[in-house]
């Protein structure tokens, strides 16, 4: 016998409003108080200081003579803006994938693993409302994680290297007043590009009662996408992989802003994400909740 309660006629109960169940504020506070949220926030906030210590011990990147080609890493200590851009560069490929997979993959599966999911539905919280609240909060925390890193990096970089223009590896520089809007655009694109990971994690979270399986599955499939993108034999087929566009945000750090790569990457990512979110809602609406 299913443990879920049918709420078909619940809307007729006095004072009951489906849209008032599981408010976003309540769900956000629940997620904020969890240890994994605090740990992930601490890790992201600590990364800029780890890099500053590494540069202090090993010397500035540009002083080691890495050849004629100058990369973003070589200009990391030129200014706070350069340091923040470098932090995003070293973390966008994997580190920022983890909080997205964690927040979106753990949200529903953890309720099932605690055997509290059926009680939420018996409250009664409509299934679509429950998923919507959890998804919005999970995406909000994911965006917060991506904003936290460059904000801390800018503050730490300003104290360590001073405030100044963003020196470009290709030559030239962006004025100090233009760096924050450009970095905000970078963060926005990184968030959009990670929607595929969010969709994978959220869909898997509705399919399993093991949070680690949902989180690990999303991270693993994201890594597989990166590996496939490295297979040059796939040719133009790689352009249909979200991983192929994950560093298209570098076009935002040019004297003349270029939108082509970011537009294509965003379109690919949003398309895949919408399909995965739709699968999650469709599958969960028909799932027999027994935990």
């Amino acid at each position: 016998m299913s443990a879920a309660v049918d709420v078909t006629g619940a809307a007729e109960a006095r004072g009951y409003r489906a849209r008032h169940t599981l408010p976003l504020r309540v769900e956000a506070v629940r997620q904020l108080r969890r240890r994994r949220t605090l740990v992930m926030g601490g890790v992201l906030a600590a990364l800029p200081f780890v890099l500053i210590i590494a540069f202090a011990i090993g010397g500035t990147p540009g002083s080691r003579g890495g050849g004629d080609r100058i990369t973003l890493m070589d200009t990391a200590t030129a200014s706070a803006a350069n340091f923040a851009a470098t932090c995003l560069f070293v973390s966008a490929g994997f580190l920022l994938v983890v909080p997205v997979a964690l927040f979106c993959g753990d949200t529903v599966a953890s309720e099932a693993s605690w055997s509290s999911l059926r009680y939420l539905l018996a409250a009664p919280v409509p299934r679509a409302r429950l998923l919507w609240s959890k998804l919005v909060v999970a995406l909000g925390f994911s965006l917060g994680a991506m904003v936290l890193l460059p904000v801390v990096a800018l503050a730490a970089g300003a104290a360590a290297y001073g405030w100044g223009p963003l020196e470009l590896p290709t030559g030239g520089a962006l004025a100090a007043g233009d760096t924050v809007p450009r970095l905000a655009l970078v963060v926005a694109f990184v968030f959009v590009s990670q929607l595929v990971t969010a969709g994978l994690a959220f869909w898997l979270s509705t399919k399993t009662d093991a949070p680690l399986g949902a989180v690990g599955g999303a991270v693993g499939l994201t890594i597989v996408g990166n590996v496939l993108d490295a297979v040059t034999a796939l040719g133009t087929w790689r352009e249909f992989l979200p991983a192929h566009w994950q560093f298209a945000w570098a076009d935002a750090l040019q004297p003349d802003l270029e939108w082509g790569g970011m537009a294509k990457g965003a379109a690919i990512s949003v398309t895949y994400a919408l399909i995965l979110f739709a699968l999650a809602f469709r599958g969960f609406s028909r799932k027999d909740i027994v935990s």
Side-chain angles (χ1 to χ4, degrees):
M1 182 177 64
S2 172
V5 175
D6 186 5
V7 297
T8 304
E12 299 177 359
R14 181 176 299 177
Y16 176 80
R17 295 292 184 273
R19 64 179 181 274
H20 293 165
T21 57
L22 195 59
L24 295 179
R25 177 182 57 82
V26 173
E27 178 64 16
V29 171
R30 292 178 68 226
Q31 298 301 325
L32 183 62
R33 291 177 176 175
R34 295 190 57 187
R35 182 177 300 176
R36 51 91 157 147
T37 304
L38 302 178
V39 170
M40 182 54 61
V43 169
L44 292 173
L47 177 63
F49 298 99
V50 172
L51 290 179
I52 289 175
I53 294 172
F55 291 150
I57 295 175
T60 58
S63 66
R64 292 193 291 272
D68 295 334
R69 183 183 178 186
I70 300 177
T71 64
L72 188 61
M73 180 65 75
D74 294 323
T75 63
T77 59
S79 68
N82 280 90
F83 183 67
T86 301
C87 288
L88 286 170
F89 175 74
V90 300
S91 59
F94 179 74
L95 181 59
L96 290 180
V97 173
V98 176
V100 176
L102 182 64
F103 294 137
C104 295
D106 181 71
T107 180
V108 178
S110 62
E111 298 284 0
S113 67
W114 298 333
S115 298
S116 58
L117 185 58
R118 55 184 174 180
Y119 296 108
L120 280 175
L121 296 177
V125 180
R127 296 192 182 202
R129 173 67 185 182
L130 183 142
L131 286 190
W132 174 252
S133 295
K134 288 188 171 295
L135 178 59
V136 170
V137 171
L139 291 177
F141 274 83
S142 299
L143 178 59
M146 295 182 187
V147 172
L148 175 65
L149 177 62
V151 167
V152 174
L154 279 174
Y161 310 119
W163 188 264
L166 176 64
E167 295 186 10
L168 305 176
T170 55
L174 289 176
D178 295 333
T179 56
V180 172
R182 292 293 185 93
L183 288 174
L185 178 59
V186 170
V187 172
F189 176 77
V190 172
F191 173 72
V192 172
S193 67
Q194 293 296 339
L195 286 177
V196 177
T197 300
L200 279 170
F202 193 71
W203 175 58
L204 292 173
S205 186
T206 63
K207 304 294 289 185
T208 179
D209 294 350
L212 185 60
V215 175
V219 172
L221 290 173
T222 301
I223 293 175
V224 170
N226 292 334
V227 172
L228 289 175
D229 182 56
V231 181
T232 56
L234 291 175
T236 56
W237 286 103
R238 294 186 301 162
E239 296 183 4
F240 294 96
L241 296 173
H244 185 71
W245 306 99
Q246 63 180 334
F247 290 108
W249 56 262
D251 293 341
L253 303 181
Q254 302 294 334
D256 297 322
L257 183 61
E258 298 180 11
W259 293 95
M262 290 189 290
K264 292 178 181 178
I268 292 291
S269 181
V270 169
T271 299
Y272 282 122
L274 289 177
I275 293 173
L276 290 166
F277 290 144
L279 288 174
F281 276 82
R282 182 177 183 274
F284 193 73
S285 65
R286 304 179 179 185
K287 184 178 180 179
D288 187 19
I289 306 300
V290 294
S291 57

